């Protein structure tokens, strides 16, 4: 029999044991965690929409019309008018011909990748891709080649020697580093090698590009350049779920083949209705993005001056590199003692020796919130014995 207790004890010894906080109240920078008020810098609610009154009202207004439960899968009798309207809205938002609404980003990646590649095919996946992409690759039973993070020369060499259908998959914005994939180069390489490109823009949607239309729109990459776009709705969009956007033919294909679309209950339609309202706010309110960018710029300047090592990121994901697991935990705990919540991210979420604090910003943070974080970081600098960014 498997010794659960011993395995868990090993994890604890390695500084890898994970625990859950109990949050009460809505998601916002001022959180109540296990009964203690904390200022949070760790959610993915980048635009501060998770608790927006207009979006909440859209959900509650929809419910008398739609009821609550999804009740059946989309292919049985769960495909509601509200889901359809959201798909039309998402296609327009992303500048694609059509879109398909999934229940979560995890399921979208699992379903799309395993539908588009199979035995005899080869998938090329960036080493730092999200866990749901890694699992989608495994589920597909295709041969999987992981290329070094963002390394287009290595990818070109791998593509040249591959058999079967070729599929290249990447995060748009990398979830633990905050950097952006070389998307234009990827599009060109995929065209040259007749490979299908899949971009998961979970952290770009709502944040990057004109009106928050995402990383691909920012670069002017069309449906021809990137045939398969995946986005999630639980992060900047502030609701729940995910989508795939691309050609009508692709959606028709996925409806037949994506098992995580077919064999799961449809999302409550009221969530789809609320998401439409959120997309309107995202398109209309540029001030959220400009405030967010000014917080990010100020954080990077000040944290670098304090001697913290940051990553080359211009997104709301701003990791502070620490290195070993215990120091990352110690820094996170010291900040918490000062009333701040910043999560330590450890292996296997990031590579061994690259433990970090993952600081994330939201348009709901105020200048004062940022000042509190920077003041606390100034006091905690001595907790990590890593050379300062300037010294390297
Ligand atoms: C969060 C995330 C997902 C998963 O999305 P959920 O809707 O939370 O399941 C997928 N891909 C990336 C890159 C993510 O960061």
């Amino acid at each position: 029999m498997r010794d659960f207790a011993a395995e868990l004890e090993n994890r604890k010894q390695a500084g890898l044991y994970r625990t859950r906080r109990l949050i009460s109240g809505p998601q916002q920078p001022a959180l109540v965690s296990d009964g203690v008020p904390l200022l949070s810098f760790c959610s993915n609610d980048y635009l501060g929409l998770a608790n927006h009154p207009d979006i909440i009202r859209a959900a509650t207004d929809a419910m008398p019309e739609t009821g609550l439960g999804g009740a059946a899968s989309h292919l049985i009798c769960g495909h509601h008018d509200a889901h359809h309207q959201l798909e039309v809205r998402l296609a327009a938002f992303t500048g694609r011909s059509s879109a398909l609404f999934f229940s979560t980003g995890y399921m979208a990646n699992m379903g799309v990748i395993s539908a588009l590649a199979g035995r005899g095919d080869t998938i090329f996946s960036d080493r730092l891709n999200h866990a749901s992409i890694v699992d989608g690759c495994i589920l597909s039973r295709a041969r999987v080649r992981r290329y070094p993070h963002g390394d287009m020369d290595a990818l070109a060499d791998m593509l040249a020697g591959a058999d079967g259908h070729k599929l290249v998959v990447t995060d748009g914005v990398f979830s633990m580093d905050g950097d952006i994939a070389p998307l234009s180069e990827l599009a060109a390489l995929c065209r040259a090698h007749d490979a299908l490109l899949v971009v998961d823009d979970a952290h770009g949607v709502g944040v990057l590009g004109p009106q928050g239309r995402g990383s691909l729109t920012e670069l002017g990459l069309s449906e021809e350049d990137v045939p398969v776009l995946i986005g999630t709705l639980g992060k900047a969009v502030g609701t729940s779920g995910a989508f795939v956007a691309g050609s009508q033919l692709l959606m028709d294909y996925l409806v037949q083949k994506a098992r995580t679309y077919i064999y799961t209950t449809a999302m409550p339609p009221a969530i789809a209705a609320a998401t439409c309202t959120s997309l309107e706010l995202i398109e209309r309110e540029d001030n959220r993005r400009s405030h967010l960018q000014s917080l990010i710029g100020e954080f990077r300047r000040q944290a670098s001056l304090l001697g913290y090592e940051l990553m080359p990121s211009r997104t709301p994901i701003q990791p502070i590199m620490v290195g070993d697991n215990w120091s990352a935990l110690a820094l996170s705990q010291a900040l918490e003692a000062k009333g701040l919540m910043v999560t330590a991210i450890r292996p296997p979420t990031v590579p061994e020796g690259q433990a970090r604090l993952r600081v994330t910003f939201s348009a709901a943070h105020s200048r004062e919130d940022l000042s509190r974080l920077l003041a606390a970081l100034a006091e905690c600098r001595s907790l990590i014995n890593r050379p300062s960014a300037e010294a390297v």
Side-chain angles (χ1 to χ4, degrees), residues 44 103-107 109 130 132-133 171 173 175 200 202-203 232-235 241-242:
N44 301 317
S103 295
T104 72
Y106 204 116
M107 292 171 66
N109 277 324
H130 190 260
S132 57
I133 294 178
D171 282 16
V173 175
S175 51
D200 172 2
H203 300 274
T232 67
L233 304 169
K235 290 170 178 151

Side-chain angles (χ1 to χ4, degrees), residues 37 65 123 149 169 199 203 225 268 280 345 347 349 366:
E65 302 286 324
I123 301 176
H149 180 50
V169 58
V199 173
H203 300 274
D225 299 316
E280 275 161 37
I345 306 280
T349 309
S366 65

Side-chain angles (χ1 to χ4, degrees), residues 46 128-130 171 173-178 203 235 317 358:
Y46 304 125
L128 296 189
N129 276 344
H130 190 260
D171 282 16
V173 175
F174 286 87
S175 51
M176 294 299 138
D177 289 35
H203 300 274
K235 290 170 178 151
I317 303 166
R358 182 175 181 267

Side-chain angles (χ1 to χ4, degrees), residues 35-53:
V36 180
L38 292 174
L39 177 59
S40 157
F41 287 92
C42 47
S43 108
N44 301 317
D45 178 26
Y46 304 125
L47 296 178
L49 296 177
N51 187 34
H52 193 288

Side-chain angles (χ1 to χ4, degrees), residues 187-253:
L189 258 185
C190 287
R191 186 175 303 116
H193 291 274
D194 192 29
L196 185 62
L197 178 56
V198 179
V199 173
D200 172 2
D201 203 25
H203 300 274
V205 170
V207 174
L208 298 178
Q211 296 176 292
R213 292 175 199 276
S215 318
L216 301 181
T217 308
E218 180 170 62
L219 293 167
L221 294 169
S222 69
E223 188 170 299
E224 284 69 47
D225 299 316
V226 181
V228 190
L229 163 62
I230 293 172
T232 67
L233 304 169
K235 290 170 178 151
V237 181
T239 60
S240 192
F243 65 90
V244 183
S247 70
Q248 184 61 54
L249 202 56
L250 174 69
M251 299 315 135
D252 293 346
Y253 190 82

